[in-house]
Amino acid sequence: MTDQAWPWPAGAATGIGSLPGTDIAEAQRIVLGELPALPHLPELPARGPGADLIGRTAGLLVELPVELYAARWRIAPRPGRDLRRARDLMERDLDQLAEQAEEYAGPVKVQAGGPFTLAAALELPIGGRVLRDPGAVRDLAGSLTEGLRGHVEAVTRRLPRASVLLQLDEPSLPAVLAGRIPTESGLGVYPAAESGLVATLLRSLVEAVGVPTVVHCCAPDVPLELIRSTGAVAVALDLALVTDLDPLGEAIDAGLGLLAGAVSTQPPSTGRPPTSAQVADRVRQLWDRLGFPRSRLAEQVVVTPACGLAGATPEYARAVLAACRDAGRRLAED
């Protein structure tokens, strides 16, 4: 393991992305207040179509318009009101970020769906998912790459003193690689994507966007070696879903950072969120089981919730972010 400059300060904590509610101004205040070392651009899917992961990301695509059809997003022949709504929501979010964080000078994280999760959800005009057509997948990845470059530039213009960290949400990636994405009929599945192609397209995206990139996958069987090969700076995952420590240890030892999802997105049976001490202990225990020195922990690991918090109550969501923040500080003091 070589000395590495991480794109976040030691002891940082952040959110995965989504929060409950529909008030972006309030959500941004919460994020900036509770996560001062690594704030993120909040996502509020409760606002409806265009604020969801797929619609929000599809709104960033370049020269590839989308529309809603039968409650599903699909490629469209021309831009329409659904696309305008998604873009308007994003523009409003970025303006609110600029208003509240104009003088912010640290790292800030933005999130978008990755190309393979997008390909597994977006439909072609002729029917079927983009995933069925390798050529369409390549076109989608190229369009997303250009869109993300523009998105990063838009954030940089608004926050000129900040540095941008990009998170690619790829919850469907393990299923894409294993051939587990069902067809529309539900009677079959799409063929497994070739891992070399997946790695090549993701690597091209990471290199072209040109900012440190985290790949987030809140699913079992996270393809850690593939993610590391793309040039991503870190992986974000749910610690509760890690069953085999060896691949994670190898990835971390090879230089991959870890956004450790250490707090459930729903309250435990007691109804009380875990304390920061409990969250810090959970991260320490994993690190110790992996066999790494504690001196590296606070630098290489960022504490996060297990996944997005859109389904939580506002009170629980805020408590979770505060617990992650204070847990990160405890780890930095070790």
Side-chain angles (χ1 to χ4, degrees), residues 50-330:
D52 59 295
L53 172 63
I54 301 303
R56 187 173 174 86
T57 303
L60 299 173
L61 296 173
V62 173
E63 297 182 356
L64 201 60
V66 296
E67 64 184 1
L68 272 174
Y69 178 76
R72 295 190 295 270
W73 289 98
R74 71 176 181 182
I75 306 299
R78 64 188 63 85
R81 65 180 182 179
D82 298 324
L83 180 57
R84 285 195 299 272
R85 173 178 166 79
R87 289 178 172 172
D88 286 348
L89 286 170
M90 181 67 83
E91 193 73 13
R92 194 180 312 165
D93 293 357
L94 293 179
D95 287 345
Q96 189 58 232
L97 176 65
E99 181 178 327
Q100 295 195 38
E102 182 179 7
E103 300 302 317
Y104 179 73
V108 61
K109 181 167 69 70
V110 296
Q111 307 82 219
F116 291 94
T117 291
L118 205 58
L122 271 181
E123 296 192 354
L124 294 164
I126 59 173
R129 308 289 170 85
V130 171
L131 191 62
R132 68 183 287 185
D133 183 342
V137 172
R138 290 181 182 275
D139 291 343
L140 179 66
S143 175
L144 180 61
T145 298
E146 290 304 307
L148 289 174
R149 288 176 63 180
H151 186 47
V152 168
E153 290 169 0
V155 175
T156 301
R157 284 196 304 272
R158 287 170 168 84
L159 303 181
R161 301 174 62 193
S163 56
V164 179
L165 178 66
L166 172 65
Q167 175 182 304
L168 291 177
D169 291 318
E170 282 283 17
S172 299
L173 185 57
V176 168
L177 289 166
R180 297 197 304 263
I181 300 296
T183 59
E184 289 61 40
S185 68
L187 301 177
V189 293
Y190 289 103
E194 199 274 312
S195 61
L197 172 64
V198 172
T200 297
L201 292 181
L202 283 173
R203 187 183 310 115
S204 296
L205 186 155
V206 170
E207 291 174 352
V209 175
V211 297
T213 300
V214 176
V215 177
H216 167 235
C217 185
C218 53
D221 304 321
V222 178
L224 290 162
E225 177 58 29
L226 185 151
I227 290 171
R228 188 176 69 82
S229 75
T230 67
V233 71
V235 63
L237 46 76
D238 180 352
L239 297 188
L241 299 179
V242 177
T243 56
D244 186 355
L245 292 181
D246 288 343
L248 180 59
E250 291 169 4
I252 290 173
D253 193 47
L256 197 66
L258 175 64
L259 272 65
V263 190
S264 173
T265 58
Q266 295 296 323
S269 57
T270 62
R272 296 187 299 272
T275 65
S276 61
Q278 291 171 325
V279 177
D281 282 344
R282 186 176 187 193
V283 177
R284 286 193 199 99
Q285 289 167 9
L286 172 74
W287 197 254
D288 290 345
R289 289 175 64 195
L290 291 171
F292 296 119
R294 288 272 184 95
S295 58
R296 282 170 45 186
L297 172 54
E299 294 182 354
Q300 196 165 353
V301 176
V302 175
V303 184
T304 76
C307 202
L309 291 164
T313 65
E315 296 76 18
Y316 182 74
R318 189 163 194 162
V320 165
L321 298 183
C324 289
R325 176 200 65 216
D326 292 341
R329 290 172 177 172
R330 286 175 178 270

Side-chain angles (χ1 to χ4, degrees), residues 16-21 43-47 51 265-266 305 307-314 317:
I16 290 300
S18 67
L19 290 175
E43 302 166 4
L44 303 178
R47 291 182 293 181
T265 58
Q266 295 296 323
C307 202
L309 291 164
T313 65

